[in-house]
Amino acid sequence: MERKIFEDERVYDIAEQIYARTDVTPSVGLILGSGWGAVCRGLEEPITISYASLQNMPTCGVKGHSGNFVFGKLGCKNVVVAQGRFHLYEGKEFSDVLMPIKVMYALGIDTLILTNAAGGLNRAYRRGDLMVLKDHINFTFRNPLIGEKATEEYPVFCDMTNVYDEAIRNIILEECEALGLCAHSGVYIQVLGPSYETPAEIQAFSKLGADAVGMSTVVEAVFAKYLRLKVAAISGITNMGAGIEDERLDHHDVLSQARKNEENYSMLIKRVVKRI
Ligand code: HPA
């Protein structure tokens, strides 16, 4: 097996178990957040491998996140989809949070597309819009590279000037336009969660330059950049940040809003993957 760069042997044990069950060699990896699950239904010749069936693989505990790797073809490309991710707010360590990316990397991906549900901070955004990440703010105050072995080939002091691949960003924006989906290009701020923000925090994050807020993605993007993968990320705006509109935030409302656009999002991803 190639790409043996991680010290955590579980990664290679999991990859071996996957090799025993599929011979698909993926070039693109996708991590699906809330509202993006339909992407899996668009896969040709899908092979689903649940996290629970893989020894040493962490499993998901959050409602709305299934916990499977799904292999298949999307727009003629071999892909692996991580359906369900691990969050710091579950009390998970980075060794678990990053496991799907590490496994996908060991399997050979060169591009990673991250998706999530997020709260809109930019007053021009509306529920149901999309935001293509052009940059991010890590407000978790935890860096996923802490403890990673620094090597000549993989320095942990890695550049974060252009985390999100410009060419893929443009493709996503073009395909959104072609599909009639309202998409913005913006800055995402990751918080730890799991509580939602206060109105004062939302105002503060706006002043810091963030356009949307969520509880995932940034630490994954940093890690993927360290691995020198091409990275892209898209947020589905499920609500406006606390205090912007006159309503309370409810996890169930966020999930049900996220699911409203699943079919469109699935079509979008298919068209994007075809072009990268
Ligand atoms: N805040 C944080 N995370 C979120 C939100 C939010 O408003 N909406 C969806 N995920």
Side-chain angles (χ1 to χ4, degrees):
M1 196 183 299
E2 286 176 296
R3 289 177 144 179
K4 244 186 152 174
I5 70 158
F6 305 116
E7 282 180 332
D8 186 349
E9 282 298 324
R10 293 181 307 163
V11 176
Y12 304 103
D13 177 48
I14 294 164
E16 288 295 347
Q17 295 172 64
I18 291 172
Y19 277 133
R21 290 165 67 178
T22 170
D23 49 16
V24 177
T25 49
S27 61
V28 178
L30 291 129
I31 297 189
L32 303 184
S34 303
W36 294 85
V39 170
C40 284
R41 294 201 285 277
L43 287 189
E44 291 155 47
E45 301 163 39
I47 295 168
T48 301
I49 300 180
S50 69
Y51 294 166
S53 72
L54 294 165
Q55 241 177 30
N56 282 325
M57 184 71 196
T59 47
C60 294
V62 180
K63 225 175 148 217
H65 298 273
S66 316
N68 299 301
F69 285 115
V70 189
F71 293 81
K73 278 190 194 303
L74 203 55
C76 298
K77 287 228 169 53
N78 285 332
V79 303
V80 51
V81 177
Q83 194 183 28
R85 56 153 61 92
F86 307 106
H87 300 87
L88 293 169
Y89 64 67
E90 295 170 76
K92 301 274 193 201
E93 298 298 330
F94 278 125
S95 55
D96 284 349
V97 172
L98 302 173
M99 187 60 89
I101 299 178
K102 288 182 176 176
V103 171
M104 293 194 286
Y105 182 81
L107 297 174
I109 62 163
D110 55 38
T111 302
L112 181 67
I113 301 179
L114 302 161
T115 61
N116 61 46
L121 305 182
N122 188 316
R123 304 301 196 269
Y125 292 8
R126 297 282 168 268
R127 202 177 290 147
D129 290 357
L130 288 165
M131 186 185 87
V132 181
L133 276 67
K134 65 175 181 198
D135 204 347
H136 70 227
I137 297 170
N138 183 352
F139 212 77
T140 68
F141 302 105
R142 298 181 62 184
N143 193 295
L145 302 181
I146 290 175
E148 282 304 316
K149 190 177 55 170
T151 63
E152 192 78 28
E153 204 189 343
Y154 292 92
V156 288
F157 300 102
C158 52
D159 177 57
M160 291 287 146
T161 312
N162 292 302
V163 176
Y164 302 95
D165 187 271
E166 193 179 354
I168 304 180
R169 282 197 275 136
N170 288 334
I171 290 172
I172 299 170
L173 291 168
E174 282 167 28
E175 292 302 329
C176 284
E177 185 159 5
L179 288 167
L181 302 174
C182 181
H184 312 274
S185 183
V187 175
Y188 176 99
I189 186 165
Q190 179 178 354
V191 292
L192 269 183
S195 60
Y196 290 115
E197 300 69 38
T198 63
E201 286 166 343
I202 291 296
Q203 279 187 40
F205 294 161
S206 285
K207 288 190 180 133
L208 287 178
D211 298 295
V213 57
M215 304 175 193
S216 68
T217 302
V218 168
V219 294
E220 296 161 337
V222 168
F223 194 72
K225 186 69 180 166
Y226 156 76
L227 294 175
R228 284 192 249 108
L229 296 174
K230 278 196 268 175
V231 186
I234 321 173
S235 298
I237 304 296
T238 48
N239 57 280
M240 292 307 288
I244 295 180
E245 289 176 347
D246 192 19
E247 61 173 36
R248 290 158 57 100
L249 291 185
D250 179 277
H251 184 54
H252 296 101
D253 294 345
V254 168
L255 287 182
S256 72
Q257 172 63 38
R259 297 215 173 94
K260 280 190 188 153
N261 295 310
E262 274 193 322
E263 294 308 323
N264 284 336
Y265 293 180
S266 162
M267 181 70 73
L268 171 68
I269 295 292
K270 194 171 197 163
R271 293 172 64 132
V272 169
V273 169
K274 201 172 186 168
R275 288 183 55 191
I276 56 180

